[in-house]
Amino acid sequence: MDVNAAVAALAAIAGVCTGVIAMLAFRWSERDQARPTRSSLHTDAVLPPGVDTVLSVLRSSAVVLDESDSVVKASSAAYALGLVRGGKLAVEPMLHMARDTRRDGEIRQVELDLPRRGTGRGEALAVSARVAPLGSRLVLLLVEDLTEARRIEAVRRDFVANVSHELKTPTGALSLLSEAVMDASDDPEAVTRFAGRMQIEATRLTNLVQELIDLSRVQNDDPLEDAEPVRVDELVAEAMDRSRHPASTKQITMAAGGTADLYVWGNRGQLAAALGNLVENAVNYSPARTRVGIAGRRIAAPGGDLVEIAVTDQGIGISEKDRERVFERFYRVDPARSRATGGTGLGLAIVKHVAASHGGEVTVWSSEGQGSTFTLRLPEAGAVRDRASARGPVTVDEDDDVPYETFSSAVPRSPAIVPAPEVLP
């Protein structure tokens, strides 16, 4: 009996000890979980309340540095710009600014040009960096990417300079010619000659002002506000009528072909101006007694069918270096020829903006001495396409009443260009 009591007492004592040990282990585990880790000391724990949330919504690239210049917090944009590498601020001028701000508490700002990562080109990344103290130990660095803003500003400056030059040329010529007319008042032949030159310069000035207005309207207006199904055949006919007189003067034959009854969705006036500019350029830059071909066709695309309108000429062609810039405002491949034909250098820029605002694009293929093909691709008006598809394609040359196929294989083209309106040599 005494032995059993002793065993029971020992068991009770062992149970009490086990319970005490378990309670101590549980408390120790809770205390260990609440203890800050090394990583947490360098993230949210050291940032003032709410700062992390504010930094996450800023558009600027944000970097927070501690007293040892280690990165406590950095936005994804900061990594993308290459500001932070291996947990350190990689831009030495910004690091010096952060140290100076930590020392005296002054807010500093500077604009820097940084090398762009991952490109073999010498392009620089323009940034504006602002450093401010964040509490007693941290420094906040905010970096704004100014590259695109500077590019737009440069384009604006170039545009103003080009406009000034283009406007001064005809106005200066008009002023000189008017003086010449006054001095030659007793010479009817000279007056007639100078008056003819004045008419040419006045026409050039009028065209320039009108194209500036058109370019501004294309850039600012939303073409979908007045959008409607526009028949491609009508656009082609209108573009040919616009250039028929200069084409006949140079004995250039304009030939239309391709698929009939195609429709695009957009602003009729803008689309007519864009295609008219392409045809006009083709006529102006083609030698006498050649052909200009215009044709439309439907092509399949992942986002829906597109209508492709190609304008092919047998002109002087465009060099590879000029091909990349022909759609810039006021850029001319041959300034002397443009001056002779009255070109303003804005026609292709208008085409580019019209295509982009309608959800399409314009491309160019060219070979020097052989000619060029400008291709305008626009989304098709699908509902109208379905109603008109039963009529089938009509491929007839409107000028010569010759089937389109008879002149469809004579002009070389780039492999990137699908069959376009091509003309006989």
Side-chain angles (χ1 to χ4, degrees):
M1 190 69 179
D2 295 336
V3 174
N4 292 334
V7 171
L10 289 175
I13 293 173
V16 171
C17 292
T18 302
V20 171
I21 293 173
M23 183 177 297
L24 291 175
F26 179 74
R27 292 291 180 87
W28 183 268
S29 175
E30 284 187 333
R31 183 181 301 176
D32 186 64
Q33 291 179 3
R35 183 179 302 161
T37 62
R38 180 182 298 272
S39 60
S40 65
L41 285 173
H42 291 282
T43 54
D44 297 339
V46 297
L47 292 176
V51 172
D52 191 14
T53 303
V54 173
L55 295 182
S56 65
V57 298
L58 287 178
R59 298 182 61 182
S60 304
S61 303
V63 180
V64 179
L65 303 176
D66 63 11
E67 62 272 14
S68 62
D69 292 334
S70 296
V71 175
V72 176
K73 181 76 176 180
S75 64
S76 58
Y79 286 99
L81 291 178
L83 305 179
V84 178
R85 300 176 193 171
K88 294 290 185 180
L89 186 62
V91 184
E92 198 66 24
M94 296 182 186
L95 189 58
H96 290 315
M97 288 174 57
R99 291 170 180 170
D100 293 340
T101 297
R102 186 184 300 111
R103 185 181 61 253
D104 55 23
E106 294 290 332
I107 298 176
R108 290 175 169 80
Q109 184 169 352
V110 67
E111 291 188 2
L112 301 171
D113 291 331
L114 307 177
R116 190 185 295 271
R117 296 179 61 191
T119 61
R121 298 169 294 181
E123 297 180 355
L125 191 69
V127 298
S128 174
R130 185 177 180 87
V131 181
L134 186 64
S136 59
R137 299 165 49 200
L138 305 179
V139 173
L140 173 62
L141 171 68
L142 296 177
V143 180
E144 190 76 23
D145 187 357
L146 303 179
T147 307
E148 184 65 15
R150 285 192 179 181
R151 187 192 68 80
I152 294 175
E153 183 60 30
V155 170
R156 184 180 294 111
R157 286 198 304 268
D158 292 342
F159 179 71
V160 172
N162 287 328
V163 168
S164 301
H165 172 73
E166 296 295 334
L167 289 175
K168 284 168 61 178
T169 301
T171 53
L174 286 172
S175 177
L176 292 175
L177 288 169
S178 63
E179 293 179 4
V181 169
M182 293 178 63
D183 294 338
S185 57
D186 56 348
D187 186 352
E189 183 179 349
V191 169
T192 302
R193 185 173 67 255
F194 292 143
R197 289 296 308 169
M198 291 178 69
Q199 289 182 339
I200 293 175
E201 295 298 333
T203 301
R204 178 175 299 157
L205 181 60
T206 301
N207 292 339
L208 175 59
V209 173
Q210 183 59 51
E211 291 204 344
L212 285 172
I213 295 173
D214 293 341
L215 180 60
S216 177
R217 182 181 296 115
V218 168
Q219 289 178 320
N220 295 328
D221 290 353
D222 183 3
L224 299 182
E225 290 183 356
D226 301 319
E228 59 178 328
V230 181
R231 187 174 178 177
V232 174
D233 293 342
E234 296 177 357
L235 294 178
V236 172
E238 186 174 336
M240 294 174 64
D241 287 339
R242 170 175 165 179
S243 299
R244 197 171 298 278
H245 176 68
S248 62
T249 301
K250 299 172 66 175
Q251 299 181 9
I252 293 176
T253 301
M254 291 186 293
T259 304
D261 292 325
L262 294 175
Y263 288 81
V264 293
W265 187 264
N267 184 292
R268 180 184 176 83
Q270 293 187 12
L271 293 173
L275 186 58
N277 286 341
L278 291 180
V279 176
E280 185 177 17
N281 276 359
V283 171
N284 288 339
Y285 286 90
S286 293
R289 292 177 294 278
T290 57
R291 279 197 173 193
V292 171
I294 311 101
R297 68 181 216 149
R298 181 185 303 115
I299 59 173
D305 288 352
L306 299 176
V307 170
E308 185 178 76
I309 310 171
V311 179
T312 300
D313 64 62
Q314 295 176 307
I316 60 175
I318 306 172
S319 66
E320 185 175 356
K321 66 180 183 67
D322 290 322
R323 231 171 288 156
E324 301 176 356
R325 302 190 58 190
V326 290
F327 297 104
E328 295 181 10
R329 290 172 290 189
F330 293 110
Y331 186 79
R332 296 184 178 93
V333 175
D334 187 349
R337 181 180 290 267
S338 296
R339 185 64 62 187
T341 59
T344 63
L346 290 174
L348 291 179
I350 293 175
V351 175
K352 178 182 178 181
H353 282 288
V354 169
S357 63
H358 284 74
E361 64 173 351
V362 58
T363 58
V364 58
W365 171 87
S366 185
S367 179
E368 289 187 85
Q370 298 186 34
S372 305
T373 296
F374 284 86
T375 305
L376 183 63
R377 297 185 182 93
L378 299 166
E380 184 181 14
V384 181
R385 190 255 340 255
D386 295 336
R387 292 197 299 267
S389 60
R391 304 182 192 177
V394 178
T395 56
V396 175
D397 181 340
E398 292 183 358
D399 280 2
D400 300 328
D401 198 27
V402 176
Y404 170 63
E405 287 78 4
T406 62
F407 62 91
S408 62
S409 60
V411 175
R413 59 179 178 269
S414 166
I417 301 295
V418 293
E422 293 151 346
V423 292
L424 287 172

